[in-house]
Amino acid sequence: MGGYELVRSDDAVAAGGADLESGVGNSKAAAPSPPPSPSTAARQPRLVSLDVFRGITVLLMIIVDDAGGFVPALNHSPWDGLTIADFVMPFFLFIVGVALTLAYKRVPDKLEATKKAVLRALKLFCLGLVLQGGFFHGVHSLSFGVDLAKIRLMGILQRIAIAYLLAAICEIWLKGDDDVDSGLDLVRRYRYQLFVGLVLSFMYTILLYGIYVPDWEYQISGPGSIEKSFSVKCGVTGDTGPACNAVGMVDRTVLGIDHLYRRPVYARTKECSINYPENGPLPPDAPSWCQAPFDPEGLLSSVMAIVTCLIGLQFGHIIVHFEKHRGRIINWLIPSFSMLAVALLMDFVGMRMNKPLYTISYTLATAGAAGLLFAGIYTLVDVYGFRRPTITMEWMGKHALMIYVLVACNILPMFIRGFYWRDPNNSLLKFIGVGV
């Protein structure tokens, strides 16, 4: 989503080399330098720690997808609480925010940049619609196609596209021109972006705890294609359980229940699974909502996904405006620890960390963890130069979207199984010695 250059070392800056990621606000007496030519920009290496961070997130996603069903600690939390898997989505969004800061560090034409951002977001949204809308049903059925009346409208890539677009618009249009010499100066320069993040957070929290959720019904196909109807009793305000939360109600009302994800994570809760915390048969006294569709990447919860991306923007600004490694790391660690502390306090008083709802405590906890991890990777890779041990992660980070499409969306497994000789069992899997 735009190129970004490697942060020059402190020694290079001290020796007179210009730090390409430092902002002009660092030195009030510094004369503005012309933008680098395309040939010069092409020779400038990438910010390695960002690629490594992205690669680690991709690897974590693959591990979670493959081993999550066997190791509960690697699977998503059935509802409240955090597991390793619950950090993957916020980490991606955080990375998008940091990369946007570097990609839009210089914006000669704001309207043109906005048009390109909209086009990129639309492409990403449409790709997500194809990959997660229901066209591909699985590696075992080898079938494709989807009923447009029941296509899933939201998904991982769609959420990233929405967050990317809003964060890009903020980065293009909502910048001050204040000089930056400290963390407070940074807050002042990007106060409008921070204001947008605060407004979105307050708006989401008010809607989550303030919308009245009435009783509702849904239907699913039973054996023999017989439609079974269920009624869910709610009539409450401020409920954050699986059945009667405002996030699900907004998605059912706006998107329609037929366009939601049909394998909700709460199917693994104690109420809905005999094999809790794994998937299993329904208990005899299972509540009526256990089989209801629920989208973990729905509309209302995506509001806080935008906030995560905006937080990533602010961490990227630290790269742009602070030359010294020490200053960057300190200005990453302080907000990271602060967000974690606030998140733990919120969780303690009842505002639970919850990924499906993308609660504000979950937002702060995962963003704080992302900030600490990014600071650690930056220290190891860009400060101390530990490149060789992370070369695989760096490669994965550079090709994150391709890996996601091929592996996480089952395109590669379907390709391997989809070509066979006369009998479906004579596929490439048999050729390489793996049983079908």
Side-chain angles (χ1 to χ4, degrees):
M1 296 186 180
Y4 44 89
E5 305 95 344
L6 173 68
V7 183
R8 295 288 294 274
S9 68
D10 292 342
D11 294 336
V13 175
D19 185 349
L20 294 171
E21 296 299 351
S22 65
V24 296
N26 283 318
S27 176
K28 297 177 184 178
S33 58
S37 65
S39 60
T40 303
R43 293 194 300 268
Q44 293 162 356
R46 298 161 69 95
L47 180 64
V48 179
S49 53
L50 189 56
D51 282 327
V52 173
F53 189 177
R54 190 185 289 109
I56 290 174
T57 305
V58 171
L59 179 62
L60 182 60
M61 174 194 66
I62 295 173
I63 293 174
V64 165
D65 287 345
D66 292 339
F70 307 100
V71 184
L74 295 177
N75 207 346
H76 290 289
S77 173
W79 197 247
D80 289 333
L82 287 182
T83 65
I84 295 176
D86 296 323
F87 289 90
V88 174
M89 167 63 80
F91 280 9
F92 270 122
L93 293 166
F94 178 90
I95 295 166
V96 170
V98 176
L100 275 173
T101 305
L102 307 180
Y104 291 110
K105 185 172 60 176
R106 298 180 182 90
V107 185
D109 188 335
K110 293 184 178 182
L111 285 177
E112 182 65 22
T114 303
K115 285 165 42 177
K116 290 182 178 179
V118 171
L119 183 60
R120 288 171 182 161
L122 284 175
K123 289 179 180 178
L124 193 59
F125 191 95
C126 291
L127 179 62
L129 201 61
V130 171
L131 294 175
Q132 296 186 302
F135 293 94
F136 302 102
H137 296 304
V139 296
H140 299 292
S141 63
L142 297 178
S143 60
F144 63 94
V146 64
D147 182 355
L148 291 178
K150 297 182 179 180
I151 186 174
R152 184 187 177 195
L153 296 176
M154 297 296 290
I156 293 173
L157 292 181
Q158 294 94 310
R159 167 170 282 180
I160 293 177
I162 293 171
Y164 163 81
L165 179 59
L166 269 294
I169 290 175
C170 286
E171 185 63 13
I172 292 169
W173 293 96
L174 300 182
K175 289 182 181 178
D177 55 3
D178 308 72
D179 292 325
V180 175
D181 295 311
S182 65
L184 291 178
D185 292 336
L186 201 68
V187 171
R188 188 178 302 110
R189 182 182 177 97
Y190 296 100
R191 58 189 178 276
Y192 299 116
Q193 294 182 9
L194 295 172
F195 178 74
V196 170
L198 288 174
V199 169
L200 290 176
S201 300
F202 280 118
M203 180 186 73
Y204 170 80
T205 304
I206 290 171
L207 292 176
L208 177 63
Y209 292 101
I211 291 181
Y212 174 79
V213 181
D215 300 342
W216 54 282
E217 298 180 351
Y218 70 97
Q219 293 81 37
I220 62 171
S221 296
S225 299
I226 300 175
E227 291 286 334
K228 299 174 62 177
S229 297
F230 296 88
S231 178
V232 182
K233 299 294 182 182
C234 289
V236 296
T237 300
D239 192 295
T240 57
C244 301
N245 60 80
V247 170
M249 194 273 288
V250 169
D251 288 339
R252 291 191 298 270
T253 303
V254 178
L255 299 177
I257 197 168
D258 288 334
H259 297 290
L260 305 183
Y261 190 57
R262 297 184 177 275
R263 290 176 292 177
V265 68
Y266 54 64
R268 294 189 289 108
T269 58
K270 289 182 179 180
E271 297 90 339
C272 301
S273 175
I274 292 177
N275 299 332
Y276 165 82
E278 301 175 6
N279 286 302
L282 288 169
D285 58 345
S288 59
W289 48 264
C290 281
Q291 302 176 77
F294 178 88
D295 209 312
E297 283 85 38
L299 286 176
L300 185 56
S301 56
S302 291
V303 170
M304 294 307 296
I306 298 171
V307 174
T308 298
C309 208
L310 290 174
I311 293 173
L313 278 184
Q314 311 317 311
F315 277 71
H317 294 150
I318 292 170
I319 298 174
V320 173
H321 293 286
F322 289 86
E323 295 179 356
K324 302 295 184 181
H325 292 314
R326 176 183 174 86
R328 288 168 176 163
I329 294 171
I330 289 176
N331 280 282
W332 284 331
L333 294 181
I334 292 175
S336 296
F337 280 117
S338 300
M339 286 187 290
L340 282 172
V342 174
L344 291 172
L345 178 60
M346 287 182 169
D347 188 74
F348 179 76
V349 300
M351 300 177 70
R352 301 299 306 278
M353 299 179 193
N354 185 294
K355 179 192 178 295
L357 301 181
Y358 217 117
T359 56
I360 188 169
S361 56
Y362 170 78
T363 304
L364 294 175
T366 53
L372 292 178
L373 179 59
F374 183 58
I377 295 171
Y378 174 85
T379 302
L380 290 175
V381 176
D382 284 319
V383 177
Y384 291 105
F386 287 100
R387 294 286 303 278
R388 187 170 297 176
T390 60
I391 192 68
T392 302
M393 297 298 99
E394 184 181 343
W395 180 87
M396 294 179 69
K398 291 179 179 179
H399 303 88
L401 183 58
M402 178 190 70
I403 295 173
Y404 174 81
V405 171
L406 291 178
V407 180
C409 296
N410 284 333
I411 302 301
L412 182 60
M414 281 190 289
F415 177 83
I416 294 174
R417 279 214 62 207
F419 292 91
Y420 56 86
W421 178 255
R422 295 183 178 179
D423 188 296
N425 289 326
N426 294 327
S427 66
L428 291 176
L429 285 177
K430 186 175 181 179
F431 177 77
I432 62 178
V434 179
V436 179

